[in-house]
Amino acid sequence: MLDQFLSAFITLFVVIDPPGCAPIYAGLASGATPAQARSMAVRACLIAGAILLVFALFGEDLLHALHIELDSFRIAGGLMLFLIALDMVFEKRTRRREQRAEQIRATPEVEDVAVFPMAMPMIAGPGAIASVMLLEGGQRGLPGSLVVLAALAAVMVLTLLALLAARPLMKLVGGQVEAVVTRLLGVLLGALAAQYVVDGLRSSFGI
């Protein structure tokens, strides 16, 4: 049970990337008061958590309705996560997030960033949705599902803490340390993504 929790936790932590979301949020909320920044951080995590919970609970039923086998989704999700891992290793993902944040900051009428871009697509993005569906789909029975949901809850709590501490965290950690951590997480995510593809191929072809 502990191994399942750690596997799900590491996967979701790497994909959602709380340390990577923190500096982006710090920039987006730079003009807000501390109370407004806290409120937006809480709402962003609650909305993203609700989105991921819906896909965790009903994502497999959606696949069945669309006549898509879980193994096919596992392979597609693994490939998608591998592309995200490449972006993390070569820092393309961080640059895209920063560009998106700049676009939001350049639009004066957009003040509340809780729903967009923080909840979606920065926290509950395609990679996170695919991951939570794959993790839930790989479980058999209620205990395994609860373990995945507990891992998701733990990652969302860490994400909230990262957003709340974004401003002082950036002063303490600095950009260089964040870049190193992001690259290391990208390598780990690449290995996890490859495992998803291997598992999907094995199951599909009965290897």
Side-chain angles (χ1 to χ4, degrees), residues 30 38 66 68 84 171:
S30 59
R38 285 193 298 270
L66 296 173
I68 299 173
I84 293 174
K171 294 178 182 177

Side-chain angles (χ1 to χ4, degrees), residues 44-69:
C45 290
L46 287 176
I47 293 168
I51 292 169
L52 293 175
L53 179 63
V54 168
F55 277 98
L57 296 177
F58 306 110
E60 193 169 355
D61 293 332
L62 176 63
L63 291 182
H64 288 318
L66 296 173
H67 304 290
I68 299 173
E69 293 185 4

Side-chain angles (χ1 to χ4, degrees), residues 131-189:
S131 295
V132 78
M133 288 178 65
L134 289 171
L135 289 167
E136 272 292 319
Q139 303 303 319
R140 294 293 177 265
L142 183 61
S145 295
L146 291 177
V147 167
V148 173
L149 295 180
L152 174 61
V155 173
M156 292 311 300
V157 168
L158 289 178
T159 304
L160 175 59
L161 293 175
L163 297 187
L164 291 175
R167 295 177 185 179
L169 215 77
M170 284 307 298
K171 294 178 182 177
L172 180 67
V173 173
Q176 293 298 323
V177 175
E178 182 207 341
V180 172
V181 171
T182 299
R183 282 194 166 99
L184 290 174
L185 291 176
V187 173
L188 182 59
L189 179 60

